[in-house]
Amino acid sequence: MPAQPARYTPAAATDTVVHDLPPIRFDGQPIDIRLSLRRTEDGFWRGRILFGAEGTEAERSSAEIFCAGTEQDLWQSVRDLRDHHLRDLYRSLL
């Protein structure tokens, strides 16, 4: 009798969750920062940085520059960023 093939069903991706981060100052103006996180179907956590007021023309977004096997590892990567890194990233999006 032939064996049944093993079936692998990846975990469903979760909805994107947005977290507020402390704002940075750029050219003397405060810039709101948010982190957009999602868990992909392959089980990895991916995130992008959102700059500026939500839903406005001034809002800018990075690509999904964060990727980690666990949510905790992804947050560690975010915590390792310093203000000057965020300012440089924001400047690159202008």
Side-chain angles (χ1 to χ4, degrees):
M1 177 160 103
Q4 293 294 327
R7 297 188 188 271
Y8 171 72
T9 305
T14 59
D15 292 332
T16 300
V17 178
V18 178
H19 299 275
D20 289 327
L21 299 176
I24 59 168
R25 294 195 75 72
F26 184 79
D27 285 343
Q29 300 295 323
I31 305 295
D32 294 333
I33 301 179
R34 295 175 313 283
L35 176 65
S36 173
L37 291 179
R38 69 185 182 95
R39 187 168 184 211
T40 59
E41 290 180 4
D42 60 3
F44 282 91
W45 287 87
R46 300 190 185 274
R48 70 179 64 228
I49 300 284
L50 307 170
F51 296 95
E54 184 177 0
T56 66
E57 285 185 25
E59 184 179 34
R60 302 284 187 257
S61 172
S62 72
E64 287 185 328
I65 59 175
F66 299 99
C67 179
T70 67
E71 186 177 10
Q72 183 179 8
D73 289 344
L74 190 137
W75 274 106
Q76 185 60 46
S77 297
V78 172
R79 281 191 287 275
D80 288 344
L81 287 176
R82 302 294 181 249
D83 282 355
H84 65 277
H85 295 121
L86 292 170
R87 279 193 298 275
D88 287 344
L89 181 57
Y90 178 70
R91 185 180 304 119
S92 74
L93 297 172
L94 291 180

